[in-house]
Amino acid sequence: MFAKVLTDVVRSVGLSAVMRAAGVVTRLLPIPRPTMMVGPGSSARLGQAINDFGHSKVLVVTDPVVSKLGLMAPLLQALKAGGTDFVVFDQITPDAPIAQIEKGVAVFKAQRCDAIVAFGGGSAIDAAKTIGLAAANQKHPAQLVGYFKGLRAPVPIYAVPTTAGTGSEVTVAAVISDPESNRKLVIADTRIVPCMAALDPTLMVGLPPEVTAATGMDALTHAIEAYIGHWGTAFTDRLALSAVGMIFENLPVAHVHGHDLAAREKMALAANYAGQAFTRANVGYVHAIAHQLGGHYHTPHGLALPFTHKYNHPEPSMPSKNPWHISCRLV
């Protein structure tokens, strides 16, 4: 019904008018900003902070690789020391297929959890957001696809990203996938923004160079698209430009010298800033194309950047918003 009404509106007033109106709404929409803990050891400090909220049991959502590497140990030890019970669900794979979300919801309900910790890359964090929203609304994950499809807010969600790319710890979106249709599905709701997050560079020092590069380009994509789009504000422009500069300065260092904690921390902050920028200013063609590639081949957004941004050149009258001018100015 809503889709038909929206289609009729677009046909009657034009897509550009609808997009401008959506941009105005986005500028006015109150979007929560998580309390951030930044620096080496911040994941353990997040665990200590979670203890203060008196949760009876926390569902920790992650992937098998993160679980096997033991990256969660400082956080889990902090939870245990503080007397907070937890259960680990570590079955999330890239792009978080719907079936895995359903399993996560089942564990959440069976264990009577009252909070969620997302620990991992963008897929784990997006899966945690979706599990929380689906459990709160007694809905199948596919029924939440779109904007504000749940009536109830999820339980408190905390996040610990282990890559510097998606910025999902600060965004209103969760991206999952439907393997049957080879599609990526986007769920958007301001209430799924985590209430607290930790950017711990020690968790990222072991990332392979190719993962560091791809996730870093994902963050760069977010920043550039947020900056050159039509929904940006002075606030999002500042965040986007800051992110671009930090990425150009620190991604080559993190790629070659993976154990450089300063570069890793700067990249984590850049991804965070880019996430804040695009969650209000929106993204563009790179994501439109990358979602199609990702649905079929699980291609990271960052790998679609070089093939798409050359078509993103603005009108000659707007040289200051040309992404290549941005890049050259900041290199």
Side-chain angles (χ1 to χ4, degrees):
M1 178 65 181
F2 176 76
K4 183 180 184 304
V5 171
L6 182 59
T7 300
D8 291 342
V9 170
V10 170
R11 285 175 177 169
S12 62
V13 303
L15 180 60
S16 60
V18 171
M19 294 300 289
R20 284 196 298 272
V24 172
V25 172
T26 301
R27 289 188 185 96
L28 300 175
L29 193 66
I31 298 176
R33 297 177 66 186
T35 299
M36 300 301 305
M37 297 182 176
V38 182
S42 57
S43 60
R45 295 198 300 275
L46 176 63
Q48 295 166 357
I50 292 172
N51 290 331
D52 295 331
F53 291 100
H55 299 300
S56 59
K57 183 176 281 191
V58 175
L59 176 68
V60 181
V61 179
T62 189
D63 63 67
V65 175
V66 167
S67 183
K68 184 177 180 180
L69 290 175
L71 297 181
M72 297 185 295
L75 178 134
L76 298 183
Q77 289 169 3
L79 292 177
K80 187 175 181 180
T84 300
D85 197 8
F86 61 85
V87 58
V88 175
F89 177 68
D90 60 0
Q91 299 183 30
I92 304 302
T93 57
D95 299 325
I98 286 178
Q100 294 174 4
I101 304 298
E102 292 180 283
K103 289 180 182 179
V105 171
V107 173
F108 178 90
K109 292 179 178 178
Q111 295 291 327
R112 299 179 180 273
C113 297
D114 59 355
I116 297 175
V117 173
F119 201 112
S123 294
I125 298 176
D126 288 354
K129 292 176 177 180
T130 308
I131 289 169
L133 195 63
N137 290 278
Q138 304 295 320
K139 283 190 172 185
H140 186 275
Q143 295 177 295
L144 298 169
V145 174
Y147 295 90
F148 297 99
K149 291 296 183 71
L151 292 177
R152 299 177 182 84
V155 297
I157 299 172
Y158 307 91
V160 183
T162 57
T163 61
T166 68
S168 188
E169 72 276 5
V170 292
T171 70
V172 300
V175 180
I176 60 176
S177 64
D178 181 2
E180 293 185 6
S181 62
N182 289 322
R183 293 173 58 217
K184 281 192 172 184
L185 310 172
V186 180
I187 296 166
D189 193 313
T190 55
R191 297 168 299 176
I192 64 175
V193 178
C195 57
M196 188 176 291
L199 302 181
D200 191 337
T202 63
L203 304 176
M204 304 176 190
V205 295
L207 286 175
E210 60 272 18
V211 176
T212 298
T215 53
M217 291 300 286
D218 188 15
L220 181 63
T221 302
H222 294 156
I224 291 178
E225 289 195 298
Y227 184 71
I228 67 175
H230 298 295
W231 290 8
T233 65
F235 173 70
T236 61
D237 280 355
R238 286 196 302 273
L239 286 172
L241 283 175
S242 179
V244 170
M246 294 167 73
I247 291 167
F248 267 89
E249 181 178 350
N250 293 281
L251 181 55
V253 178
H255 179 261
V256 177
H257 305 288
H259 284 76
D260 189 313
L261 285 177
R264 289 293 190 184
E265 183 173 314
K266 288 284 190 178
M267 282 302 302
L269 283 169
N272 184 282
Y273 293 170
Q276 291 185 59
F278 90 79
T279 207
R280 190 172 288 280
N282 211 345
V283 288
Y285 291 125
V286 172
H287 279 70
I289 293 174
H291 274 196
Q292 310 313 312
L293 294 174
H296 284 274
Y297 309 112
H298 304 292
T299 307
H301 296 319
L303 296 185
L305 175 65
F307 304 103
T308 310
H309 261 314
K310 65 181 180 180
Y311 299 104
N312 265 348
H313 284 259
E315 296 298 324
S317 61
M318 297 173 59
S320 64
K321 286 226 165 185
N322 186 311
W324 305 115
H325 290 177
I326 299 169
S327 302
C328 292
R329 191 169 72 242
L330 291 171
V331 164

